[in-house]
Amino acid sequence: MAGVMGWPVMHSRSPRIHNYWLAKHDLAGTYVPLAIKADELRAALRALPSLGFSGCNLTIPHKEAAFEIVDRVDPLARRIGAINCVVVAPDGSLDGRNYDGFGYIQSILEAWPAWRADAGPIAVIGAGGAARAVLVSLADQGAQEIRLVNRTPARALSLAQEFGPPVKALAWDDRHAALEGAAMLVNTTSQGMAGQPALDLTLDKLPGSALVSDLIYIPQETPLLSAARLRGNRTINGLGMLLHQARPAFHAWFGVMPEVTAELRAVIEATI
Ligand code: NAP
């Protein structure tokens, strides 16, 4: 057994992803949505071993709160500052991990195998929870310069201070100019998501060779990705990140490293 704890949680695509792999690998298990309120997280996590769970994913609002509950946090999750996967150890203790950064990098490499983080400056818009995983993974991949802009400048400054070079914070008003000479642009804000206005960003200064990545996958093509595609940039949405972060979690719980196939992608796309 495994599952995803969140509040709300029923919108999560994770059960479909993991149950697809369980069936594919002929494993007698199941992955369930677990609607857990913030004040029930400790009891819910501690119950996992008794309930026969191998572990669970965590989503909003539990990713940070779990730090104080699990028995061990791996170094990468500690740097990212969030836990998105809990693994029950043989003795019933709980390991906290974070596979969002892995998922992000793998999704880019799947779409663009020749991609390199050190190909040139990377502009990252947004400094929330998702941005932390993106910044840590891009830096670990060898990014030389990451220009971070956020609507609330203090959050970008604080991340630049915490992570140090290659991350440097720029003013929100400078976000359009920050695209000059960039090899890559990443939107980690919620702007462009279904029900939200488009990200307020002018792409005029972005080189035509740049890769444009949006963490959003609902809709599959945000106004940012559409504008980028129309001016000739390569684009990638956030669905690959969601699919790829699930792989090492499945491996940790069930012992098989599954693949992101065209069939799985189609199954999930059909729900969007
Ligand atoms: P979060 O921690 O709440 O951060 C939200 C970010 O959006 C902040 O930087 C915030 O800026 C910015 N923002 C919000 N409203 C804005 C506006 N009107 N103008 C400019 N910036 C605005 O959220 P999160 O967890 O990082 O998630 C961010 C996005 O990533 C969401 O769309 C989420 O769906 C997506 N995501 C995708 C995956 C995946 O697997 N593909 C995984 C995680 C997240 P301020 O600091 O100024 O508020």
Side-chain angles (χ1 to χ4, degrees), residues 92-114:
S93 60
L94 304 176
D95 280 317
R97 304 181 186 176
N98 191 309
Y99 294 127
D100 279 338
F102 170 88
Y104 182 63
I105 300 298
Q106 289 304 308
S107 73
I108 296 170
L109 289 172
E110 182 198 359
W112 310 104

Side-chain angles (χ1 to χ4, degrees), residues 121-166:
I122 302 176
V124 174
I125 317 292
R132 295 183 63 96
V134 166
L135 292 169
V136 167
S137 61
L138 287 174
D140 285 355
Q141 287 294 308
Q144 301 293 306
E145 180 186 346
I146 302 178
R147 303 167 183 169
L148 179 63
V149 292
N150 192 52
R151 177 183 61 173
T152 308
R155 288 182 93 183
L157 272 169
S158 147
L159 283 192
Q161 268 165 8
E162 181 180 337
F163 296 139

Side-chain angles (χ1 to χ4, degrees), residues 203-238:
L203 299 182
D204 294 351
K205 291 210 158 56
L206 186 71
S209 57
L211 172 61
V212 180
S213 148
D214 200 324
L215 263 50
I216 293 167
Y217 54 88
I218 303 173
Q220 293 190 53
E221 188 176 67
T222 58
L224 170 69
L225 291 186
S226 165
R229 177 175 56 79
L230 289 172
R231 67 195 290 284
N233 290 101
R234 295 170 294 155
T235 63
I236 179 167
N237 70 17

